[in-house]
Amino acid sequence: MTTVATSRLPAGEPVLTTDVVGTDFGLPLVRPSRTRQGGRVRVVRSRCRAHGGVVVWFTDGTKTPPIHGRTSWIVAGPGPYGHADAAERTPTG
């Protein structure tokens, strides 16, 4: 299992997150998944410093609440479609 720290999270990296845990001004909030099981693959759009930590934005319009400390992300890698860009789509069945 490959992990990457929030401070080194590049744009385009597919990572595992939780399902939506709340909203912030109408934007869905997600958190890093702690296990591979039950995680949802999202592709990082960008990350930026915010008051209280670092916010990670994803290509599907979700974001994290401000994260601080040594938070790490599980890298999803290429999905069943064979390309990391397709990792946003979740397979059925």
Side-chain angles (χ1 to χ4, degrees):
M1 173 167 47
T2 305
T3 61
V4 63
T6 301
S7 62
R8 298 187 184 272
L9 198 59
E13 186 77 70
V15 295
L16 293 177
T17 68
T18 62
D19 286 329
V20 175
V21 295
T23 60
D24 182 27
F25 295 102
L27 296 172
L29 295 175
V30 295
R31 296 190 186 275
S33 180
R34 294 179 189 228
T35 64
R36 282 198 175 273
Q37 205 159 20
R40 181 176 164 104
V41 177
R42 297 186 201 276
V43 178
V44 175
R45 184 177 83 193
S46 63
R47 63 179 165 78
C48 62
R49 286 192 172 275
H51 182 64
V54 175
V55 174
V56 179
W57 293 82
F58 298 98
T59 56
D60 64 353
T62 58
K63 69 174 196 166
T64 64
I67 296 173
H68 50 82
R70 296 183 182 196
T71 304
S72 63
W73 298 79
I74 299 173
V75 177
Y81 301 100
H83 193 270
D85 291 344
E88 284 186 308
R89 293 179 245 141
T90 53
T92 55

